[in-house]
Structures are given as structure tokens and as C-alpha cells.
Amino acid sequence: MSRVILVSNRVMDLRRAAQAGGVAVALAHVARTRPSLWFGWSGEVKPAAEAGSVNQAGRVLTVPLSPEEHEGYYLGYANSVLWPVFHNRLDVAQFEAGHFERYIGVNRRLAALLQPFIRPDDVVWVHDYHLIPLAVELRRLGVLNRIGFYLHIPFPPWQTFVAIPEHAHLARCLAAYDLVGLQTMADVSNLIDYLVNGVFGNVTPDGRVRLFDRLLTVASFPIGIDSTDFTRAARDVALVQGRGMRRIIGVDRLDYTKGLPQKFKAFGQFLETNPQYRRQVVLTQIAPPTRENVGAYADIRRQLETLGGSINGRFGELDWVPIHYIHRSTPRRRLAGIYRSSRIGMVTPLRDGMNLVAKEYVAAQDAEDPGVLVLSQFAGAAEELTEALIINPYNVEETADGIRSALEMPLAERRTRHEALMAAVRKHDVASWCQAFLSQLERVRSDDDPLSWQSPESIRTALAKLEQGTLPRLRSSSRALEAVRPGGRAQ
Ligand code: GDG
């Protein structure tokens, strides 16, 4: 088994990572179960003079960022351009801020710091949108190893992606990987559409994409959880607000992609149209703070708090507060019990790569008396968790009806749905995700690739091609459309 060099934006020691949630838990799993090194940002911001070296603690290698890098690379390009665009939110993307140079600069610096640790038979697995240019920067330094990239967030429709002024540069960066992994089949289809229509790639008969003379493999690897972390949960009795009170649980970082205002509105609508449930149900929303120095996050917090206050003011009683909102992080060891004692898991993002909370909620249920998952059709998880109550989060009435149907669902139906959901959670768990990605990375064909990474000369040729290959100007309609309409115009 080759050693895996994991690279992700945020790195922490393995014990803390296992308690953190999301990407960190998944990477800590890979780091614990394989020969590995894990490299990335320590989370510290230090003056440039002190930010230049690697700190090694066992198999974990960390680097601080300087204040300028934190501002331009992390808060700037990664979280004010790429995050909103990949979630289809062009309206909040800050294209004009000029952070791209800093984004490339940090990737170049990280590549230079990582390169001395890479041995010839390692495979390198790069994670997420912060690090798209890392492979090209490693190639420049002569790294010949297999390098795979995994995107944890969704890939948007191609017309959205081409709004990024530097989209073609990002495509060249992707072409320096051997394998690009995405969460869902819908993401794979969006990325291939973009590579074909946005930068004139061609799909080969075996399903790879020929791009700037490279052959790139693109595939979906839905991420999962370690379900045993959740199945042993006991009900958290301290949570019950009153006898017979039924709880709806939401656990989401306070992010504008998570659909929190829409969720609060739907709950308000449910109370409005179902007065018999007032005093019977409480919505507990755990929404820990995230990226608070980005403007769009301050806006969503204000909006949510105003809305929550107005719903509580309108329906609340002296002995019943309908929305129980916690803007702090909750210890991970308590989450399983909270999920298990909640009758509904409400996971209603406007867009989400996967959404692990949906899987955690399912895994924590009592199979004899399970709760119901209400799930957005726009979460990647909806591709696998088809037995959830799938709703459109933009449709407040439909979501409110989903809450009522979940509360009224007979036990037999809850059990049947839960059984199917649990099978899906087990099928794609964190171990199978890691195994599937790494074994495909090791299998990717390179013998027929005219620009593979076999020698320093082939790297030089490939990089020159990537950098010099010009692109024809984009046409307004897609090439696929032109193929079905001769001449490219509607007749
Ligand atoms: C990205 C993609 C994709 C949440 N609040 C608390 C807490 N959490 C934990 C949850 C869960 C994790 O954080 C969140 O994971 P998600 O998948 O829901 O969302 P993102 O953070 O946006 O993650 C996403 C994921 O990457 C993995 O590929 O699924 O689509 O956006 O594990 O339990 N944990 C603790 N306290 C909290 O208050 N301890």
C-alpha cells in the first residue's frame, strides 16, 4: 500500500480532528488507517516572517498563514469567490477584489514547503477548493507522483462557472491532476459540461476528458461517515423541554448555503397552518459561527436572528419557545444523543456538496422507533438518501407540509424508510469512500496519455502546453446545443 500524502486547507492533530466534524473527521480516518502524512494550514495567522516554515508533529505537518495570505487566499479568493460560485451564488461573489494572485501565491508556497517530504512512491490526495492549483505548482517543482483532487462542495452549472474571470486558469490547474473526484453524479455531469463547453475539452470513448492535451479522469465518490460513531447513542433526556414535546433538530454551520432563513420560515408557516401542534413541537437549531469576517456571513446571521425573534414573538408562550437557536458549537460527543431524541432531522440546504448531518441523523436513530429525515433535494445526500422526505427548500409551503407529514408518519413507514436509509449510509461510509478514491487513483491509466508525468522533460512539455494552449472565445450557446441544431442557431 503506497503512503498517502493528504493535503487540505485545515489540518489539526488527529484527536482534535476526530472531534471536529465534516471534512476533518473523514481525513483523520484516512490518516489513522493508512500510512500517511497530512499537510496544510495550522489555523494560525502569524506575521510573514514567522509564517514561513513547516511544523512537524508525528505524521501531521502544518504551516501558519500570514495576515495578508489569510485575507487574500482564505477569506478572499477561497471563501468570497469560489465558495459562493460553486454553490451557485454569483450574487454574493466578490470578483473585483483581486485576490487571485494571493490564491496562486499561497498554493505555490505550500507546494514548495511540501515537495521535500514527498517520496517517489507516494500518492498525493489534495482536498477542496482552496487548493485547486496545488498540483500544477508541485509539477513545476518536478513532482511526478500520482496526484488526485477531491472537491467536497458541489460543482455548479457551466454557465455559472465561466463567470469566474480566471475560470480557464482553474481548468488548466485541474488538468495537472490524474483524477478529479466529486460528490455526486450531478457534479460529475456539471464539471464535464464545463470542460466541454467552457474550455473545449473532449470526452474520449472510455469516459475520460481530453483537456489541453491531457487525459483526465473525473468520477463521483460520495463521502460518508463512520456510522458506528452514532449508532450507540442514548437519548439525551436533558433535552426535553416538556413532557411529550417533539423536537425537530437542525445542525448547520451558520452559512448562507444552508437555507436557515427558509427553514425558520417553513417552521413559522407550519405553526400558522397547524395550530394543533403549537406547544407540541420545538425546532432546535444548532448553528455554530463560521467565517464571520466575510460580509455575507454577518448578513445571514442578522437575517436569521431577526426572523427567529419574530417567530418566537408571534407564537411563543410563557412556557413554550418554538425556536430554540444556539449560535455556538456543541461538543461532538453530545450530537448523537441530540439526533436520537429528535423526532425530525431537518436538513434543508439551498445547495450542499453532500451534507454529513443527514447521514449522522439517520445513523443515530433507534431502529425500533426512528425519527424522520426531511431533506433538501439540493443536498448531494439526496442522490443516495432517496427514502427521506425530499423537499424543495425554496418552497416554504412544501417544507411546512413535510414537517406535518413527518410528525404524522406511522411507525411502520418510519421503520421501512429508516431501514433503507441506514443501508445507504452503510453502503457509502467513510472507509469505502477513501478506498474507492485511492484505488481508482492508483489504477488511472497513463500509458496512452501524451502528456503524462513520467520524466522532467515530459513535465516541462506538459506545463508548456497547459500554459500556452490558447482557447477559442466562448460562444454564447453550448457546444452540445450546436450539435443538435445545425449552424448553432434555433431555426
Ligand atoms: C463540507 C461540504 C460535505 C456541525 N455543527 C457542529 C458540528 N458539526 C459537524 C456535523 C458534521 C459537520 O460538522 C458538517 O458537515 P456537513 O457535511 O454537514 O457540512 P460542511 O461543513 O459544509 O462540509 C459538505 C462535507 O464538506 C464533507 O465532504 O458533506 O457538503 O459543504 O459532521 O456533525 N460538530 C460539533 N459541534 C457543532 O456545533 N462538534
Side-chain angles (χ1 to χ4, degrees):
M1 192 187 288
S2 320
R3 186 174 72 158
V4 185
I5 311 279
L6 292 168
V7 192
S8 63
N9 170 58
R10 207 44 185 88
V11 172
M12 47 191 98
D13 77 63
L14 296 185
R15 241 171 321 140
R16 265 188 65 214
Q19 292 309 310
V23 180
V25 175
L27 297 195
H29 172 89
V30 184
R32 269 198 322 270
T33 53
R34 303 237 164 190
S36 62
L37 274 185
W38 187 6
F39 173 86
W41 177 34
S42 60
E44 300 161 297
V45 178
K46 290 188 172 171
E50 296 165 40
S53 58
V54 179
N55 176 44
Q56 178 159 17
R59 293 188 285 131
V60 175
L61 307 171
T62 54
V63 181
L65 292 179
S66 72
E68 298 74 26
E69 290 175 333
H70 183 246
E71 178 72 28
Y73 150 83
Y74 178 71
L75 297 175
Y77 204 73
N79 284 316
S80 302
V81 177
L82 297 181
W83 175 271
V85 174
F86 279 71
H87 287 87
N88 219 2
R89 289 293 303 269
L90 289 178
D91 58 319
V92 285
Q94 306 277 313
F95 295 123
E96 62 290 346
H99 295 309
F100 187 64
E101 294 306 315
R102 188 70 74 181
Y103 177 68
I104 297 291
V106 170
N107 273 274
R108 186 162 296 162
R109 185 165 84 83
L110 293 177
L113 291 170
L114 174 61
Q115 186 260 343
F117 291 91
I118 302 177
R119 296 187 205 135
D121 50 356
D122 289 339
V123 294
V124 183
W125 188 4
V126 179
H127 290 261
D128 239 357
Y129 56 100
H130 315 81
L131 298 168
I132 296 170
L134 197 81
V136 97
E137 298 301 336
L138 287 171
R139 301 293 186 208
R140 260 188 242 290
L141 298 169
V143 172
L144 304 170
N145 303 54
R146 300 239 154 165
I147 312 182
F149 177 74
Y150 187 79
L151 184 67
H152 289 262
I153 61 177
F155 198 87
W158 76 273
Q159 292 95 335
T160 302
F161 196 71
V162 294
I164 301 179
E166 303 84 12
H167 75 87
H169 192 131
L170 296 172
R172 291 172 208 275
C173 292
L174 284 177
Y177 288 95
D178 298 292
L179 170 64
V180 172
L182 300 138
Q183 298 273 20
T184 65
M185 288 308 296
D187 297 320
V188 168
S189 153
N190 279 349
L191 174 57
I192 291 182
D193 266 3
Y194 163 68
L195 296 175
V196 170
N197 295 305
V199 281
F200 302 93
N202 287 300
V203 180
T204 62
D206 66 1
R208 286 178 291 171
V209 182
R210 183 177 291 279
L211 181 66
F212 307 112
D213 276 352
R214 282 230 57 221
L215 281 167
L216 181 64
T217 302
V218 178
S220 102
F221 303 89
I223 197 169
I225 60 168
D226 179 349
S227 57
T228 56
D229 283 354
F230 290 89
T231 45
R232 289 188 291 262
R235 277 179 202 272
D236 195 333
V237 284
L239 287 172
V240 181
Q241 223 185 41
R243 277 175 72 81
M245 183 71 68
R246 278 176 283 181
R247 178 176 308 272
I248 302 173
I249 185 71
V251 177
D252 311 80
R253 287 182 301 99
L254 183 37
D255 193 296
Y256 53 82
T257 61
K258 299 288 184 184
L260 294 171
Q262 288 79 358
K263 189 190 295 192
F264 279 20
K265 280 186 198 154
F267 185 59
Q269 170 80 14
F270 163 77
L271 294 175
E272 173 70 41
T273 49
N274 296 279
Q276 71 280 18
Y277 281 112
R278 294 182 198 162
R279 280 197 149 101
Q280 308 288 313
V281 183
V282 61
L283 167 63
T284 296
Q285 179 61 53
I286 298 174
T290 181
R291 304 171 199 162
E292 287 190 309
N293 336 8
V294 175
Y297 287 78
D299 295 347
I300 190 77
R301 177 178 173 186
R302 260 194 306 277
Q303 192 190 348
L304 188 67
E305 292 182 353
T306 306
L307 199 53
S310 94
I311 294 169
N312 281 341
R314 171 133 188 251
F315 296 104
E317 303 284 353
L318 286 174
D319 57 351
W320 173 60
V321 181
I323 298 183
H324 182 189
Y325 158 73
I326 302 169
H327 184 51
R328 292 188 309 279
S329 181
T330 302
R332 188 164 174 84
R333 64 187 148 68
R334 282 202 73 184
L335 283 181
I338 297 173
Y339 292 140
R340 193 171 176 104
S341 47
S342 300
R343 181 58 196 283
I344 299 179
M346 210 163 160
V347 180
T348 51
L350 303 178
R351 200 75 190 90
D352 218 325
M354 175 55 63
N355 197 300
L356 295 177
V357 170
K359 295 188 170 185
E360 292 167 0
Y361 176 78
V362 168
Q365 295 309 297
D366 172 359
E368 295 305 311
D369 183 18
V372 178
L373 177 64
V374 174
L375 180 61
S376 161
Q377 67 192 72
F378 302 115
E383 226 175 65
E384 294 163 84
L385 302 183
T386 51
E387 292 304 309
L389 279 185
I390 307 283
I391 54 91
N392 169 6
Y394 292 97
N395 186 338
V396 167
E397 255 131 55
E398 183 182 305
T399 311
D401 283 350
I403 296 174
R404 194 178 37 75
S405 307
L407 287 170
E408 294 174 359
M409 190 179 285
L411 177 62
E413 184 178 348
R414 283 191 277 129
R415 282 187 183 156
T416 317
R417 285 180 184 262
H418 178 258
E419 199 180 327
L421 290 170
M422 199 56 213
V425 168
R426 287 209 174 97
K427 182 169 174 208
H428 287 139
D429 67 359
V430 68
S432 67
W433 167 74
C434 156
Q435 171 64 27
F437 187 92
L438 289 173
S439 62
Q440 177 129 10
L441 181 57
E442 276 165 6
R443 281 197 321 268
V444 162
R445 276 185 70 185
S446 57
D447 50 327
D448 59 344
D449 189 341
L451 293 179
S452 63
W453 321 109
Q454 272 148 19
S455 64
E457 299 79 73
S458 71
I459 286 202
R460 269 195 293 280
T461 321
L463 287 176
K465 280 263 186 191
L466 281 187
E467 277 158 19
Q468 288 152 18
T470 53
L471 288 172
R473 273 186 70 75
L474 271 186
R475 282 159 286 184
S476 56
S477 62
S478 84
R479 288 166 85 195
L481 205 56
E482 285 174 19
V484 292
R485 286 184 188 151
R489 282 171 198 277
Q491 303 300 303

